[in-house]
């Protein structure tokens, strides 16, 4: 299997100023959304903990910028970035984190269950690698229905060692599903370094075993991610089947919001600093300015608009009601789908 199949041509990316501005806005929105969430968790406005995506923004935005609105993604426990990148509403997300009835799950699901089927977001997922087979199901449905849709499964380096990922890659390979597996290798699964837990040369090289191309790409470089994603999506839409993209990146914060309080010491300060020097947003914004694609005053306008949108989201969440206790058990189970087909039941009856 040739490994350069996903290299892509960055020169052929459509980087017009409006498009670049929108991508910058999305990356900035994710960064600031997560920073606000940390403040709100620490202030006990948001109960529990969340897993922040700070440092990995280029992956969600780079991949989702190449998708069409009807394409599908599945996300992870670290899902806010994917959801915002695919067009999720920050107000409904924030309301969900606040546990309010205006949230995506009426305030009963929280960070790890946010979904918006109308936007092709088939859910964040609290189970490591849990979203991957769901994406394969969507890809299979797309293929059977001839819809031309493509599915993307985001997952982490820890998830790369889960059995279900390998079962799904095998099926996707034999059925030539229109799916892109995106591994967000942020170097750690909680506190376990990727090298300690992962056998073989690289995660990307595992694709070869399943008969489709895999490539590693700089996960701090949004344009490299877009170029590689473009190749993978072309393959999928042509009917050539799956691809695996390993995006090498870093999370700047702890595994979850409470980590700082636990005082875990599994990363050296120098390591964190060296990745901070390659900040995906700052680095790209500087490049855009040099190329005359996004000036400093325009950038400030975008930053201000992002702050205004987030203030609005927090205000919306705060002023929304909690779900009523009488409805605590509503919407917990799907209705109308018997757990086992009853005698004489026809699936067509639905
Ligand atoms: C099946 C399963 N096993 C264990 C966990 C506990 N857990 C939550 S996140 C996580 C680490 C995941 O690491 P990775 O896939 O690299 O994602 P990252 O947190 O780095 O984004 C673990 C072990 C879980 N949620 N689900
Ligand atoms: Mg990880």
């Amino acid at each position: 299997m040739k490994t350069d199949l996903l290299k892509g041509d960055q020169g052929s990316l459509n980087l017009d100023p409006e498009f670049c501005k929108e991508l910058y806005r999305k990356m900035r929105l994710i960064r600031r959304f997560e920073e606000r969430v940390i403040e709100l968790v620490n202030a006990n406005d948001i109960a529990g903990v969340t897993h922040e995506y700070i440092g990995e923004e280029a992956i969600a935005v780079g991949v989702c910028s190449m998708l069409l609105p009807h394409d599908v993604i599945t996300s992870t426990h670290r899902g806010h970035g994917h959801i915002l990148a695919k067009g999720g509403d920050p107000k409904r997300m924030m309301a969900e984190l606040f546990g309010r009835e205006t949230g995506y799950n009426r305030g009963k699901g929280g960070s790890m269950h946010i979904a918006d089927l109308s936007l092709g977001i088939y859910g964040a997922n609290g189970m490591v690698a849990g979203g991957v087979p769901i994406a394969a199901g969507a890809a299979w449905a797309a293929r059977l229905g001839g819809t031309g849709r493509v599915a993307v499964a985001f997952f982490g380096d820890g998830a790369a060692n889960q059995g279900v990922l390998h079962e799904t890659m095998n099926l996707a390979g034999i059925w030539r599903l229109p799916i892109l597996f995106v591994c967000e290798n942020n170097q750690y699964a909680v506190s376990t370094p990727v090298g300690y837990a992962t056998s073989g040369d690289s995660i990307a090289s595992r694709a070869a075993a399943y008969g489709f191309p895999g490539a590693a790409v700089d996960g701090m470089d949004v344009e490299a991610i877009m170029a590689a994603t473009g190749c993978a999506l072309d393959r999928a839409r042509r009917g050539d089947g799956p691809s695996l993209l390993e995006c090498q990146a870093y999370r700047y914060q702890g595994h979850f919001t409470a980590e700082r309080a636990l005082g875990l010491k599994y990363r050296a300060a120098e390591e964190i600093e060296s990745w901070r020097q390659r900040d995906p947003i700052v680095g790209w914004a500087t490049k855009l300015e040099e190329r005359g694609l996004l000036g400093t005053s325009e950038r400030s306008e975008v930053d201000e608009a992002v702050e205004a949108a987030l203030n609005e989201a927090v205000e919306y969440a705060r002023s929304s009601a909690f779900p009523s206790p009488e409805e605590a058990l509503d919407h917990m189970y799907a209705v109308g789908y018997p757990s086992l087909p009853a005698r004489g039941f026809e699936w067509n009856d639905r």
Side-chain angles (χ1 to χ4, degrees), residues 157 186 188-189:
D157 49 287
N186 61 9
Y188 292 89

PDB file of all heavy atoms in Angstrom, residues 157 186 188-189, ligand 2:
ATOM      1  N   ASP A 157      -5.590   8.516  20.331  1.00  0.00           N
ATOM      2  CA  ASP A 157      -4.521   7.510  20.264  1.00  0.00           C
ATOM      3  C   ASP A 157      -4.820   6.351  21.218  1.00  0.00           C
ATOM      4  O   ASP A 157      -4.465   5.199  20.931  1.00  0.00           O
ATOM      5  CB  ASP A 157      -3.160   8.143  20.603  1.00  0.00           C
ATOM      6  CG  ASP A 157      -3.222   8.977  21.872  1.00  0.00           C
ATOM      7  OD1 ASP A 157      -3.807  10.082  21.823  1.00  0.00           O
ATOM      8  OD2 ASP A 157      -2.722   8.520  22.913  1.00  0.00           O
ATOM      9  N   ASN A 186      -2.898  12.869  20.411  1.00  0.00           N
ATOM     10  CA  ASN A 186      -2.443  13.990  21.241  1.00  0.00           C
ATOM     11  C   ASN A 186      -1.393  13.529  22.261  1.00  0.00           C
ATOM     12  O   ASN A 186      -1.175  14.156  23.281  1.00  0.00           O
ATOM     13  CB  ASN A 186      -3.629  14.699  21.917  1.00  0.00           C
ATOM     14  CG  ASN A 186      -4.406  13.758  22.836  1.00  0.00           C
ATOM     15  OD1 ASN A 186      -3.984  12.637  23.112  1.00  0.00           O
ATOM     16  ND2 ASN A 186      -5.553  14.214  23.312  1.00  0.00           N
ATOM     17  N   TYR A 188      -1.169  11.271  24.508  1.00  0.00           N
ATOM     18  CA  TYR A 188      -1.506  10.645  25.792  1.00  0.00           C
ATOM     19  C   TYR A 188      -2.927  10.104  25.786  1.00  0.00           C
ATOM     20  O   TYR A 188      -3.828  10.709  25.189  1.00  0.00           O
ATOM     21  CB  TYR A 188      -1.407  11.656  26.953  1.00  0.00           C
ATOM     22  CG  TYR A 188       0.023  12.092  27.221  1.00  0.00           C
ATOM     23  CD1 TYR A 188       0.552  13.186  26.550  1.00  0.00           C
ATOM     24  CD2 TYR A 188       0.834  11.386  28.107  1.00  0.00           C
ATOM     25  CE1 TYR A 188       1.869  13.570  26.758  1.00  0.00           C
ATOM     26  CE2 TYR A 188       2.148  11.770  28.322  1.00  0.00           C
ATOM     27  CZ  TYR A 188       2.667  12.858  27.647  1.00  0.00           C
ATOM     28  OH  TYR A 188       3.954  13.235  27.851  1.00  0.00           O
ATOM     29  N   ALA A 189      -3.121   8.998  26.484  1.00  0.00           N
ATOM     30  CA  ALA A 189      -4.454   8.546  26.860  1.00  0.00           C
ATOM     31  C   ALA A 189      -4.504   8.708  28.381  1.00  0.00           C
ATOM     32  O   ALA A 189      -3.829   7.965  29.107  1.00  0.00           O
ATOM     33  CB  ALA A 189      -4.678   7.098  26.459  1.00  0.00           C
TER      34      ALA A 189
HETATM   35 MG1  LIG B   2      -4.965  10.831  23.420  1.00  0.00          MG
END
